[in-house]
Amino acid sequence: MKRKEKWLVIALAVTLFAGCAQNQATPPTQQGPRQEAAKSPLAVKRAERQTSEQRSQQQAQLQERKRPTPDLAGGAERKVRAPHPMTLADLHRKYPTTFRLSGTSTKRQVALTFDDGPDLVYTPRVLDVLKKHKVKATFFLIGNRAAAHPEIVKRIVREGHELGNHSYTHPNLPKLKAEAFHGEVLRTQGVIATHGGYRPRIIRPPYGEINEEQIKWLASQGFTMVNWNVDSLDWKGLSGDQVADNVLSNITTGAIVLQHSAGGMGEDLNGTIDALPKIIKKLKADGVSFVTVSQLLNLPKGR
């Protein structure tokens, strides 16, 4: 081998040896899959903390579901805010010309009214007292009783008293459906027209109870609803002195006085009969005159 070629072989061998040595001394720069997935200790702690918080939230939610929610102290919204029936006082304020409790106070007049007749026991006795003292009053008649005692209806009219509608069977009107309510009113109108000669324009609901829709219907039919502002409480079976005191201690000019000319089965109205002369004499002595409801309220008598 020539000298020049010999040195060339030696130089190539040195170069190869140096490259291998460098490859063995330098660590690999690429990371394997397992090395890529590895995380720092800080990242591991952060992940563990997040997992712990999630578990705590889940446990709190489970506990919250087990704990009952306190109820609304005032009741459910749909019940509390639901429309409520208006009271009689509310109805009177809203419909002052349709729903009357008294007349004007400018005249010294009162109206005596008698409910629940006619019957054959108390109504004739009430009529006897009124006739003796020359007093005119208003009788709110129950239709089926008027049909049963037409001769008493005729006497009431003949002696100059006024008739009013008090329903046909004396039900609690707000509990009736519209058709039944209309029937109670209109059927009584027919009976009174047959035996009394006219259809009254005034009506008094049994127990004084009525609702707004019924008042609006009555107004559409030309009725004026008449309750009272002086209650004798004679239906409690009181004595004549007690009934008279209930009336006289509460009387005012323009008052509408509630009494009864008949009652339910077994009701004692002797207190009404005994009190009536005392009431009439005392008020007459005080310069008070007695008129019918239509006269007191300046309404047409009938149609």
Side-chain angles (χ1 to χ4, degrees), residues 146-168:
H149 306 298
E151 69 283 2
I152 304 298
V153 178
K154 290 181 172 65
R155 178 184 171 184
I156 293 172
V157 174
R158 186 169 63 249
E159 295 183 1
H161 304 294
E162 181 178 30
L163 303 178
N165 190 316
H166 197 44
S167 81
Y168 194 80

Side-chain angles (χ1 to χ4, degrees), residues 99-271:
F99 185 9
R100 306 295 295 273
L101 303 179
S102 64
T104 177
S105 60
T106 59
K107 296 182 179 180
R108 294 184 65 78
Q109 297 177 335
V110 300
L112 299 180
T113 67
F114 298 89
D115 286 8
D116 294 356
D119 71 358
L120 299 178
V121 178
Y122 296 108
T123 308
R125 294 170 65 189
V126 169
L127 288 169
D128 289 344
V129 175
L130 296 175
K131 184 177 182 179
K132 180 179 178 179
H133 294 276
K134 298 180 181 179
V135 169
K136 306 306 179 187
T138 301
F139 290 78
F140 288 95
L141 303 184
I142 298 176
N144 60 8
R145 291 184 171 183
H149 306 298
E151 69 283 2
I152 304 298
V153 178
K154 290 181 172 65
R155 178 184 171 184
I156 293 172
V157 174
R158 186 169 63 249
E159 295 183 1
H161 304 294
E162 181 178 30
L163 303 178
N165 190 316
H166 197 44
S167 81
Y168 194 80
T169 62
H170 204 276
N172 190 340
L173 296 181
K175 294 184 177 181
L176 299 184
K177 293 183 178 180
E179 184 177 357
F181 164 64
H182 300 165
E184 286 281 337
V185 174
L186 298 177
R187 193 175 181 187
T188 302
Q189 289 290 86
V191 172
I192 292 177
T194 298
H195 303 302
Y198 66 94
R199 296 176 183 273
R201 289 178 178 269
I202 57 174
I203 185 168
R204 174 174 288 167
Y207 317 105
E209 295 293 333
I210 199 161
N211 62 37
E212 185 173 12
E213 289 304 313
Q214 291 170 343
I215 286 182
K216 290 195 290 188
W217 182 83
L218 289 173
S220 74
Q221 301 298 305
F223 283 101
T224 296
M225 206 197 86
V226 179
N227 270 9
W228 58 87
N229 65 336
V230 178
D231 191 347
S232 69
L233 301 178
D234 59 349
W235 51 271
K236 290 186 174 183
L238 304 179
S239 68
D241 287 339
Q242 290 173 316
V243 173
D245 184 64
N246 286 338
V247 174
L248 295 173
S249 62
N250 294 288
I251 204 75
T252 58
T253 54
I256 297 176
V257 182
L258 170 64
Q259 293 178 277
H260 292 78
S261 67
M265 290 294 183
E267 285 190 10
D268 182 3
L269 292 174
N270 282 302

